[in-house]
Amino acid sequence: MIIFGTKGYLYQLAILTLVCGQCGNPAAHTLRKRVTKFTLFFVPLFPISTKYLTQCTFCGAEQKVTGEQAEQLQSQSTSGPSGQAHGQPQQHDRF
C-alpha cells in the first residue's frame, strides 16, 4: 500500500502599502507565496507548483502576481521603512 498526496504551504513574504485594484483604497497588502508539494507517506518531497499573490487587508481581494513582480515588490518592501519580511509558513492540507 502506497500513501501519497499533496500538501500546501503558505509563506507571508512582506506587507506592502498599495492602492487596491478592487476597492480603490490605499491599504496594506500581504505578499504571499503558495507552494504545493508532493508527499509520499506524509513526507513532503518536491514542489509541484509555486504561486505568488497579494491580498488587500481592507476588502480581502486577491491578485495573482508573477515571480518577477513578487521579487520586485519584496525588494521594495525591505528597502522601505514599513516593510516586514520573512513570516512563518502556514500549512494547509489538500485532500
Side-chain angles (χ1 to χ4, degrees):
M1 183 161 117
I2 298 175
I3 301 172
F4 65 93
T6 61
K7 188 169 200 169
Y9 296 90
L10 188 63
Y11 299 94
Q12 182 173 319
L13 302 176
I15 297 178
L16 311 159
T17 302
L18 302 170
V19 176
C20 181
Q22 183 74 25
C23 65
N25 290 314
H29 285 67
T30 56
L31 177 63
R32 296 180 176 167
K33 176 181 176 181
R34 182 175 294 157
V35 180
T36 303
K37 293 186 178 184
F38 176 79
T39 60
L40 182 63
F41 295 106
F42 305 105
V43 177
L45 296 177
F46 55 87
I48 296 173
S49 71
T50 302
K51 297 178 183 176
Y52 296 92
L53 52 97
T54 60
Q55 183 177 20
C56 177
T57 57
F58 189 80
C59 69
E62 290 186 351
Q63 181 180 357
K64 291 182 181 179
V65 294
T66 65
E68 290 179 2
Q69 290 172 336
E71 287 181 18
Q72 289 175 352
L73 289 170
Q74 192 173 5
S75 67
Q76 289 174 3
S77 74
T78 56
S79 64
S82 64
Q84 294 179 347
H86 306 294
Q88 294 295 322
Q90 300 171 356
Q91 296 181 9
H92 297 279
D93 294 328
R94 286 192 169 178
F95 299 101

